[in-house]
Amino acid sequence: MALGRKTGGRKKGSLNKVTKMSKAVVSDLLSDYSGSGKMKRDFDSLEPKDRIAVAEKLMQYVMPRMQSVHGEMETQVRKSVADSLRELSDDSEDTI
């Protein structure tokens, strides 16, 4: 391996073979389950509170979760040219 440089293996961000295969298997199972109508039938047979719980869990994969945002703003007071010159002249008198 070159100093601090990657010289082999997977490219950054690419899935490894096991992850890719696992995702495909799960996707196929869910697709078959949904396509057969069993998923809808099972969902409809749940108690209302359980149905809401399942819907809430599934929403995490479809909708982004809302997060609170806190921000602070800083304001700058703009000085006039005269104030800036006065400050500069005060600083230069201190150094003499």
Side-chain angles (χ1 to χ4, degrees):
M1 178 172 188
L3 293 172
R5 291 174 39 160
K6 188 172 182 169
T7 58
R10 292 184 291 122
K11 300 246 186 274
K12 185 176 182 178
S14 65
L15 297 176
N16 64 32
K17 291 176 186 176
V18 174
T19 302
K20 197 174 192 177
M21 183 186 70
S22 298
K23 284 185 177 188
V25 168
V26 170
S27 178
D28 289 345
L29 284 172
L30 287 174
S31 180
D32 291 347
Y33 181 47
S34 176
S36 69
K38 291 179 184 177
M39 182 183 272
K40 173 88 170 106
R41 191 171 46 249
D42 291 346
F43 184 76
D44 289 341
S45 70
L46 293 172
E47 293 293 319
K49 67 179 177 78
D50 295 331
R51 201 173 349 197
I52 289 172
V54 169
E56 184 180 18
K57 287 184 181 189
L58 291 174
M59 276 192 278
Q60 296 177 41
Y61 299 99
V62 180
M63 298 174 64
R65 182 176 266 184
M66 300 295 284
Q67 295 182 356
S68 64
V69 177
H70 177 73
E72 292 183 23
M73 279 184 48
E74 283 187 32
T75 57
Q76 284 187 335
V77 178
R78 294 191 68 156
K79 294 187 263 184
S80 67
V81 173
D83 289 338
S84 297
L85 289 173
R86 195 173 303 114
E87 257 183 42
L88 289 171
S89 68
D90 289 344
D91 289 345
S92 65
E93 287 176 1
D94 293 341
T95 59
I96 296 179

